[in-house]
Structures are given as C-alpha cells and as structure tokens.
Amino acid sequence: MRKKNFKITKKRQHILEVLKGTDEHLSAEDIYFILKRKNIKVGLATIYRTLDLFYQHGIVNKINVGDGTVRYEYVDRKRVHHHHLICIKCGKIMEYTDKKEEEFLKELTKRIKDRYGFTVLSHEIYLYGICNECREKEKS
Amino acid sequence: MRKKNFKITKKRQHILEVLKGTDEHLSAEDIYFILKRKNIKVGLATIYRTLDLFYQHGIVNKINVGDGTVRYEYVDRKRVHHHHLICIKCGKIMEYTDKKEEEFLKELTKRIKDRYGFTVLSHEIYLYGICNECREKEKS
DNA sequence: TTTCATGCAAAGGTTTTGCAGTCGC
DNA sequence: GCGACTGCAAAACCTTTGCATGAAA
C-alpha cells in the first residue's frame, strides 16, 4: 500500500493526527485552522496535497454533502463500515451503522453486476433529514 | 407547488426542455453549451439561477458525484425512484432501480428514527465501480 | 405599469499549480 | 546530494451577486 516516494513527514503526521482525533468531517480549511490553533503552521496547499495523497492511498474517505467543500474522514479499519446522516437544518453530519444494510449492499452489488454488468467497488449513502435537536427546537 | 412570483419564461422553458430531453446528468455549463449549439443564448448566471429555482420547487434533483460540479436531473414523477452508478474509469453516470432497495430504505428509515431520533426525508446512494465498457477495454 | 427575469461583469469561495527554497533519507 | 515536500502567491474553477436593462403578467 505504501508506494515508494511517499515520505512520512512531520506535517503529514500532524494532519493525520487531526483526522484520527476527531469524529467530525473536516474540510482542508478546518484542518488548517485546527493546526494553527495548536501553533502548528502548515500551508493550505500542503493540506490539500496531503489529503489527496491520503485519499489515493485509501487512508481517508471523501465526504461530499454538497455544502461547497469536500470533507474528509480517517478510514479506521477497526471500525464498522458506516454511512452518513445529514441534517438539512443545521448541516450537522452524523454517522450511522446498520447491520442489515451491509447484507443488503452485498446482495445489491450482486444484482447490479447481473443486471447492468457494473462492478461495484464502493458506495456512499447519504440520508438527509432533521436531527433530534433541530426537531426539538422546532416544537417550541 | 407553483408559488406566485415565479414566471414561466422562454429561457426557463428552454432549460427545462434540455433537462427533460436527456438521460444524462448535466451541469450548468453543459446546459449552457447545449443551448448555445441550438443558437439559444442564455447567460450562465441565468442558468444557475434557474436551476436553483427548479431545485427549490422540486422540479430537478441535484447530483453530487464529486467531480467538482453540481449536476442536475429532471424529476419525472412517472418514473420509479432511482439511484446512481458512477464509473471511476470514465466518469459515466448511470441510473439503476431496485425494488428491494425501496423496501430496504423504508425499513432503514424506521430504524434510523428509532435509534438516532433522526427523521430521514430523502436519500442519495452512489455506487462507484467499473462499467461494462471499461471492463471490456481493460481485458484487451 | 409594476414586478420579476436576464446579461454582463465583477466578486466570492474553494482548490490547484508554479516555483524557489527546504527537508528527509 | 537527490528527490520529494513545503509555502507563498498566483491562477484556475465553479458559482453567486449587483446593477442596469428587458420581458412577463
């Protein structure tokens, strides 16, 4: 997995650490400011380049909820596969897991292959709606 | 559905027609050039504004496959609900439908509500992989 | 005739790129 | 020392906005 010509530098480690240490879905700019607050100076361009590198190597996932930025999350191989809930009121992104979904997707992949000749390699599911907090607020 | 202060102009009709007349998933720029080729001159800004208007009124869906643009598709109420297959080689976007998926999503919506208190209102599923044509090409 | 729609150009926000300097191995 | 990494600033890109003009009801 680790191609040659791929150096593990301090700055890259810092970026990875930020991603590992949060359950939020961060944009490049988010990471830039988080590091800045810790007095770690990394240029935005470097962050973009590093995130792309990580993505090419399967170290992070891209999340695209249509808010004008690409967000990233660390791929933790010890965790169950998950998907995302996006609140259309406050924009919060949450993760969910569902056992039956895994089974379903496995079957779906097979059906897609049979019907369309398309080989599914990965999937993204986004569920849009109203989160608990926003629903409570609306009541009042 | 049709709010007041919403005029049906020639240009808006042209834009809608383009969307109705294709099974591709078009960006604002795509639409701009398609109209241009037909000698119909509509400014890009107008297309963006119109697409947003259509979106607000549920006339079109947004598709976000992470290629740096937002794409749109006409919401045909006579068609079954569908989701998208995206080829990671050629970038082609295809649609698929799956009866069992509909059932599954209905159940999933209920489980999400029970477990997370999150009310699902809509969903997007993107399956990434290799399309038939690209797989054939790879063989050779 | 009043209100909304449009075009143009400018601005906005995010991401990428060129290049000179720096660091890791 | 060489090749890869970084920062900065500029550029590229997609999308939005302000404003004067034009079209629709």
Side-chain angles (χ1 to χ4, degrees):
Chain A
M1 158 147 309
R2 196 156 289 174
K3 258 197 204 137
K4 60 183 174 187
N5 303 343
F6 172 156
K7 285 180 186 165
I8 299 162
T9 66
K10 272 269 149 57
K11 312 220 165 187
R12 289 183 177 171
Q13 284 177 32
H14 285 311
I15 294 169
L16 188 54
E17 229 121 89
V18 170
L19 286 163
K20 277 188 177 176
T22 184
D23 50 358
E24 300 204 23
H25 303 77
L26 304 175
S27 66
E29 215 186 20
D30 289 339
I31 296 170
Y32 175 77
F33 284 116
I34 287 170
L35 287 175
K36 196 169 196 177
R37 234 181 292 136
K38 295 183 180 180
N39 286 315
I40 299 168
K41 242 190 122 219
V42 184
L44 243 186
T46 299
I47 293 174
Y48 277 108
R49 283 187 279 230
T50 301
L51 288 172
D52 190 51
L53 182 82
F54 286 172
Y55 180 67
Q56 301 301 335
H57 288 258
I59 297 165
V60 300
N61 272 337
K62 284 188 186 181
I63 314 287
N64 216 310
V65 299
D67 69 341
T69 69
V70 180
R71 296 177 174 280
Y72 294 84
E73 68 180 3
Y74 173 63
V75 176
D76 189 342
R77 286 169 209 298
K78 278 170 268 158
R79 286 196 53 206
V80 219
H81 194 68
H82 66 270
H83 293 289
H84 296 94
L85 309 172
I86 298 120
C87 179
I88 59 176
K89 291 284 174 197
C90 66
K92 190 168 50 189
I93 307 172
M94 288 148 286
E95 301 178 352
Y96 76 89
T97 56
D98 187 80
K99 264 273 157 50
K100 287 185 184 157
E101 185 181 88
E102 289 181 54
E103 290 167 36
F104 168 76
L105 285 168
K106 211 177 286 177
E107 293 163 25
L108 179 64
T109 294
K110 200 182 287 173
R111 285 200 293 275
I112 296 284
K113 180 73 182 178
D114 293 346
R115 270 188 235 148
Y116 302 92
F118 186 98
T119 310
V120 175
L121 296 175
S122 68
H123 46 253
E124 284 173 33
I125 300 180
Y126 298 106
L127 304 181
Y128 293 88
I130 313 282
C131 73
N132 225 335
E133 290 72 44
C134 287
R135 195 164 37 80
E136 291 298 324
K137 270 186 220 149
E138 268 188 2
K139 281 183 190 166
S140 53
Chain B
M1 156 149 312
R2 197 156 288 176
K3 261 200 203 132
K4 62 184 172 189
N5 303 343
F6 173 154
K7 285 181 185 166
I8 299 162
T9 67
K10 273 267 149 58
K11 313 219 164 186
R12 287 180 178 174
Q13 283 176 32
H14 284 311
I15 294 169
L16 188 55
E17 230 122 86
V18 169
L19 286 163
K20 276 187 177 175
T22 184
D23 49 0
E24 300 204 24
H25 303 78
L26 305 175
S27 67
E29 215 185 20
D30 289 340
I31 296 171
Y32 175 78
F33 283 116
I34 287 170
L35 289 174
K36 196 168 196 178
R37 233 181 293 137
K38 295 183 178 180
N39 286 315
I40 298 168
K41 241 190 125 220
V42 184
L44 244 187
T46 299
I47 294 174
Y48 276 108
R49 281 188 279 231
T50 302
L51 288 172
D52 190 51
L53 183 82
F54 287 172
Y55 180 67
Q56 301 300 337
H57 288 258
I59 296 165
V60 299
N61 272 339
K62 285 188 185 179
I63 315 288
N64 215 312
V65 299
D67 69 342
T69 68
V70 180
R71 297 178 171 281
Y72 294 84
E73 68 180 4
Y74 173 62
V75 175
D76 189 342
R77 286 169 208 296
K78 278 170 265 157
R79 285 195 55 205
V80 220
H81 193 68
H82 67 270
H83 293 287
H84 297 94
L85 308 173
I86 298 122
C87 179
I88 58 175
K89 290 284 175 199
C90 66
K92 191 168 51 190
I93 307 171
M94 289 147 286
E95 300 178 352
Y96 76 89
T97 55
D98 187 80
K99 264 270 157 52
K100 287 186 184 155
E101 185 180 88
E102 289 182 52
E103 290 167 36
F104 168 75
L105 284 169
K106 210 177 286 177
E107 293 164 24
L108 179 64
T109 294
K110 200 183 288 174
R111 282 199 295 276
I112 296 284
K113 180 73 181 177
D114 292 345
R115 271 188 234 148
Y116 302 91
F118 186 97
T119 311
V120 175
L121 296 175
S122 67
H123 47 254
E124 287 173 29
I125 301 180
Y126 299 105
L127 304 181
Y128 293 88
I130 313 283
C131 74
N132 226 334
E133 289 73 44
C134 287
R135 195 163 37 80
E136 292 297 326
K137 270 185 218 151
E138 269 188 2
K139 281 183 191 168
S140 53

